[in-house]
Amino acid sequence: MTMLHLFDLDGTLMYGSAAPVEISRQLGLEAEIAELERAFGAREIGPQDFSRAAREMWADLTPAHVRAAFDGAPWLLGIRDVWREIRERGDYCAVISLSPSFFVELLLEWGVHAAHGSVFPEVPFTRPVDVAGILTPEGKLTVADRLCERFGVTRADCVAYGDSMTDAVLFGALPRSVAVNARPHLVERATHVYEGRDLREAYQLLGETRPGVAAS
C-alpha cells in the first residue's frame, strides 16, 4: 500500500516556533509578530487578516532575510532522513502549511515531494496579498485531496502530522494522524502522540507497517 505523509510546518516540523516568527525575528519585529500570533490563536483574526498584516509588517523583507530565517529556524532533527526513508519505500510526503509559500517551498530542497503554503507575492514585495491564495484549515484538506489525486492514493492511504487546531480538519478526515508537540485539543483527535525533537521518533510511531529510520 502506497502512503502519503502530510506534514504541517509551524510547531510540527519546527520546534516551538513558526515561519512568521522566524521571518519577523530577522527584521527585529518580535513584539509585533507575537501580538499578531496571539490574535490569531485567540481567533480574533483569521488566516487572511493575519497574512495581510504580516505582509505589511514585512515591507522591508528581502530574500536574504528569508534564507536566514529558514536556515536559523529550530527544525526537528531527522526531517531529511524521514523524507528519504519515505521516498525509498515508494511512498510520498508533502508539507501543507498556512505559512507563506516563499518560506514553505524552501523545504523542497530537503526532499519533500510537494510543499504548499499560503500564496504570497514574490520577495521583495511589490504587490499586496491576494487573499484568495491564503490557506485555511479547511483549505488544507482541499490541498490534501489534490495531492491524493496527483499521487494516485486516497484519504485512506494518508497520515497527517500536526500540532494545533489548524490541523484538526485533516486529523478528522484521515484515518491516521500523529500529534507532534501538540496542544491538548489536537492530542485528543490523534491516533499517535509524540513529544520531542526528532521527527524520526514520531515517524516510528506508525508501527511495523512503516518502520522508521534509526535515530542517531
Side-chain angles (χ1 to χ4, degrees), residues 46-196:
Q48 291 88 355
D49 288 336
F50 181 99
S51 297
R52 277 191 293 236
R55 184 259 182 256
E56 295 307 311
M57 185 187 307
W58 299 335
D60 297 327
L61 190 65
T62 68
H65 289 131
V66 177
R67 173 54 66 177
F70 183 87
D71 291 345
W75 299 104
L76 262 61
L77 299 173
I79 294 173
R80 280 172 279 197
D81 293 336
V82 168
W83 291 348
R84 185 182 308 112
E85 170 78 6
I86 288 170
R87 281 180 169 272
E88 289 174 352
R89 286 187 163 276
D91 292 336
Y92 299 100
C93 51
V95 176
I96 308 176
S97 172
L98 271 59
S99 278
S101 52
F102 60 77
F103 188 98
V104 178
E105 290 169 4
L106 292 176
L107 286 166
L108 292 168
E109 300 172 2
W110 290 6
V112 73
H113 286 96
H116 291 268
S118 291
V119 180
F120 268 60
E122 298 80 8
V123 177
F125 299 135
T126 58
R127 298 180 289 111
V129 168
D130 181 354
V131 295
I134 302 304
L135 276 183
T136 63
E138 295 74 20
K140 280 191 168 189
L141 184 57
T142 301
V143 173
D145 285 338
R146 291 204 303 263
L147 289 170
C148 284
E149 183 176 357
R150 172 182 168 183
F151 296 125
V153 300
T154 69
R155 290 185 184 180
D157 307 314
C158 294
V159 54
Y161 303 72
D163 77 303
S164 71
M165 283 305 291
T166 63
D167 303 303
V169 174
L170 270 184
F171 274 45
L174 303 181
R176 289 173 296 277
S177 55
V178 184
V180 180
N181 299 315
R183 293 166 176 79
H185 43 247
L186 194 70
V187 167
E188 295 170 357
R189 293 168 166 80
T191 56
H192 301 82
V193 178
Y194 175 70
E195 294 284 338

Side-chain angles (χ1 to χ4, degrees), residues 23-43:
I23 293 166
S24 299
R25 182 173 290 121
Q26 296 298 319
L27 298 168
L29 298 170
E30 291 94 338
E32 290 84 349
I33 195 62
E35 173 55 24
L36 199 59
E37 290 273 352
R38 184 207 61 77
F40 180 73
R43 302 187 182 182

